[in-house]
Amino acid sequence: MNYINLIRKILNFFDNCKQKKVLEFFKTKLFGQITVIDVGAHYGETIEIFQKKLKIKKIYSFEASPKNFKILEKNFPKNNTSNVEIFNYGLGEGFFDSFINQTAESSSSTINKINSNSKYLDRKLKVLKIRNDDGFSQKLPIKIITLDDFINKKKITNIDLLKIDTEG
């Protein structure tokens, strides 16, 4: 296991306390099978948690980054996960082509301009031993769609949970 994955596992351990509280809240408010919209799926970490802890009817999951999406596809292949659909789109106010700043530390990728003066980013990169140099991020083309149009095309009548985890 490389250093970055070890640090992620440690950080995830600390996140578990907060996640347990959030999941217990959902369990008291959401009854029966639920429909989830997952915006900012990354590699599918939240999909896994929801599938283990909640009664899932359907998860519609969006990841704008083409690099992150390739890993998401490996984690949730079409033929193996019937209640999860994944889409390589960002969600926004309209339909347009844009760019994502794909970072070497993938969970920091963002459609917004990266604030290279951010103290938070600087601390995060030091902990992960990643240099914030010219090769830290690259612009990748992405497609943006609207959630309203997606809901109409899929004929979704009820959304029980909308999870948004995006940078910026």
Side-chain angles (χ1 to χ4, degrees):
M1 179 183 315
N2 69 28
Y3 180 76
I4 292 174
N5 286 337
L6 176 63
I7 294 296
R8 280 192 186 129
K9 286 194 181 290
I10 292 168
L11 293 174
N12 286 339
F13 172 79
F14 290 111
D15 282 346
N16 279 342
C17 293
K18 179 102 45 200
Q19 287 174 359
K20 284 180 183 178
K21 287 180 184 179
V22 170
L23 288 168
E24 287 306 314
F25 172 79
F26 289 149
K27 285 180 181 180
T28 64
K29 303 293 180 190
L30 302 172
F31 303 102
Q33 289 194 318
I34 65 170
T35 299
V36 177
I37 301 285
D38 173 21
V39 182
H42 192 245
Y43 298 159
E45 299 89 341
T46 304
I47 296 170
E48 287 180 6
I49 291 167
F50 287 165
Q51 285 184 318
K52 287 179 186 172
K53 303 292 184 179
L54 301 172
K55 296 175 186 168
I56 300 297
K57 178 180 179 182
K58 193 73 163 185
I59 298 177
Y60 300 97
S61 196
F62 297 87
E63 175 54 48
S65 161
K67 282 190 171 186
N68 293 353
F69 187 77
K70 282 183 183 180
I71 295 168
L72 181 62
E73 275 184 312
K74 287 178 185 173
N75 292 338
F76 296 93
K78 288 180 185 177
N79 60 353
N80 201 18
T81 323
S82 62
N83 68 342
V84 176
E85 290 186 43
I86 59 173
F87 302 92
N88 190 199
Y89 298 113
L91 296 179
E93 294 182 279
F95 297 87
F96 54 92
D97 294 334
S98 188
F99 291 91
I100 190 164
N101 293 300
Q102 177 74 40
T103 59
E105 193 287 297
S106 63
S107 67
S108 295
S109 299
T110 180
I111 294 171
N112 296 323
K113 183 179 184 229
I114 295 175
N115 179 359
S116 57
N117 297 320
S118 165
K119 290 180 182 179
Y120 170 75
L121 178 62
D122 190 48
R123 281 193 305 269
K124 186 176 183 181
L125 296 179
K126 281 181 184 172
V127 167
L128 295 174
K129 294 187 177 182
I130 297 174
R131 291 185 41 214
N132 189 359
D133 57 17
D134 289 339
F136 172 67
S137 71
Q138 65 183 107
K139 284 190 174 299
L140 299 176
I142 62 169
K143 299 257 184 222
I144 305 291
I145 65 169
T146 69
L147 184 56
D148 286 344
D149 186 69
F150 178 82
I151 289 169
N152 290 334
K153 283 183 178 173
K154 286 287 189 177
K155 298 181 173 139
I156 300 170
T157 58
N158 187 56
I159 300 168
D160 299 292
L161 179 60
L162 171 61
K163 172 254 170 189
I164 302 173
D165 183 3
T166 60
E167 293 297 309

